């Protein structure tokens, strides 16, 4: 049995947020070692101390934009932003032809 930063019990398939970085993921596994709870998060495939994550409500996982009603996954946005930062710019692209 593991408890989050707010002393709420964590179960497998719960969605949690790592409080230090904001990483959100689904709990795949839970273990206890030396009286410390750990949770395995699918997004990173890493183990986190259970006291450093918080269980999320479904409304915290998705954000709705009211004009279109479209749902947007926050983690997908972060991933796209990271990919944009990692793009390599090349000065040989789009040279003028004259």
């Amino acid at each position: 049995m593991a408890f989050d930063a707010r002393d709420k019990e964590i179960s497998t398939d719960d969605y949690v947020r790592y409080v230090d970085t904001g990483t959100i993921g689904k709990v795949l596994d839970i273990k206890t070692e030396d009286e410390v709870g750990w949770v395995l998060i699918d997004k990173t495939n890493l183990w986190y101390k259970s006291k450093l994550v918080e269980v999320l409500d479904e409304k915290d996982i998705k954000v709705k934009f009211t004009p279109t009603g479209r749902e947007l996954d926050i983690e997908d946005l972060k991933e796209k932003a990271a990919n944009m930062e990692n793009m390599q710019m090349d000065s040989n692209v789009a040279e003028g032809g004259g």
Side-chain angles (χ1 to χ4, degrees):
M1 193 177 300
F3 294 91
D4 74 353
R6 298 175 290 183
D7 288 326
K8 189 173 180 182
E9 186 175 351
I10 303 171
S11 302
T12 54
D13 295 331
D14 280 346
Y15 281 89
V16 295
R17 175 178 33 233
Y18 180 54
V19 295
D20 288 345
T21 63
T23 299
I24 295 173
K26 186 177 181 179
V27 176
L28 298 176
D29 197 6
I30 300 171
K31 68 179 178 180
T32 304
E33 289 182 359
D34 298 324
E35 298 181 21
V36 176
W38 294 85
V39 293
L40 178 64
I41 298 179
D42 70 340
K43 187 73 174 176
T44 59
N45 204 34
L46 296 173
W47 289 93
Y48 295 82
K49 285 186 180 179
S50 66
K51 287 294 187 178
L52 298 178
V53 300
E54 55 188 4
V55 176
L56 298 175
D57 294 326
E58 190 171 325
K59 66 179 175 58
D60 295 328
I61 300 167
K62 299 273 184 183
V63 176
K64 282 193 178 185
F65 291 103
T66 50
T68 62
R70 192 179 94 200
E71 289 186 0
L72 188 58
D73 185 344
I74 294 170
E75 284 301 308
D76 283 344
L77 278 180
K78 287 181 184 178
E79 207 170 290
K80 287 177 185 175
N83 288 339
M84 292 294 285
E85 288 176 4
N86 293 332
M87 285 179 61
Q88 202 171 25
M89 299 302 285
D90 190 348
S91 61
N92 294 325
V93 181
E95 291 182 7

